[in-house]
Amino acid sequence: MVTPRIPPLPAEEWPPALRDLLGASSQDGPGRVNLFGTLAHHPPLAEAWLRLAQVLTHQGTLAVRERELAILRTSYRLGCDFVRARHEEHARPAGLTPADVAATASPSLSLHRWHPADLAVLRTADLLADHAELPEALWQELAKRLRAEQLIELLLVIGQCAMVCTTLNTLGTPPDPPS
């Protein structure tokens, strides 16, 4: 899509609370201006979503590696280059190698040598992207390593990522220009 269906608003048209939220999350790096500018068309929804995103990103109990694997795989499966590119930047600090990152965008997870814990997260993202139920064996595998709040958080990270990917893809929100 060449032209966004709903063009992002320029920052000077954002409500002050949204500008404050973007400023408060500057540690998340660049690349969110068009996302925030698109969400600025609906300030109450933008604020609610951003608060959830902050909890999942900064107050969650899931390991950063698991969170980033889930986001990279979900964004690949849903064809959202906007989200994928942003989270490729977060991969190395999360302990993912360039080969790991590349393998999250492979049609077959078996082409890479994954640790079983990583593979369980990636398979979960695949099944949820396909709108499939998690088999009991996969759930039990996850439950061996993750506490109840982490299991819930993993599902919400994948679901929140899918929501953002679907929204950005449908609206044709462009990535930010290089700074």
Side-chain angles (χ1 to χ4, degrees):
M1 184 175 301
V2 177
T3 303
R5 288 179 168 160
I6 299 176
L9 293 174
E12 57 272 7
E13 294 181 32
W14 300 357
L18 189 57
R19 280 195 299 267
D20 291 346
L21 280 171
L22 182 59
S25 65
S26 61
Q27 73 269 20
D28 294 332
R32 295 165 299 125
V33 174
N34 283 342
L35 167 63
F36 278 42
T38 298
L39 294 173
H41 287 279
H42 194 319
L45 186 60
E47 290 179 42
W49 174 78
L50 289 166
R51 293 194 193 291
L52 172 62
Q54 285 178 336
V55 169
L56 291 174
T57 304
H58 300 292
Q59 298 167 359
T61 61
L62 196 62
V64 175
R65 179 184 181 91
E66 292 164 335
R67 183 185 72 227
E68 293 306 317
L69 282 170
I71 292 169
L72 287 169
R73 187 64 178 178
T74 301
S75 60
Y76 161 72
R77 289 296 308 273
L78 298 179
C80 188
D81 294 337
F82 189 115
V83 171
R84 184 158 174 87
R86 279 205 30 78
H87 283 273
E88 284 176 350
E89 298 171 14
H90 299 290
R92 187 171 300 277
L96 297 167
T97 67
D100 293 335
V101 173
T104 64
S106 171
S108 174
L109 292 172
S110 65
L111 299 177
H112 184 72
R113 186 172 176 183
W114 291 107
H115 184 279
D118 292 344
L119 188 57
V121 168
L122 295 165
R123 287 178 49 222
T124 300
D126 276 355
L127 287 165
L128 294 178
D130 289 338
H131 308 289
E133 293 289 323
L134 296 185
E136 188 60 27
L138 177 56
W139 181 258
Q140 291 304 322
E141 187 177 343
L142 291 166
K144 283 182 206 171
R145 296 180 345 279
L146 301 175
R147 298 182 310 273
E149 69 268 17
Q150 292 172 314
L151 290 164
I152 293 167
E153 190 175 325
L154 175 62
L155 299 176
L156 286 172
V157 162
I158 293 168
Q160 187 265 2
C161 180
M163 177 182 67
V164 171
C165 289
T166 300
T167 301
L168 294 174
N169 284 345
T170 302
L171 295 177
T173 303
D176 292 356
S179 45

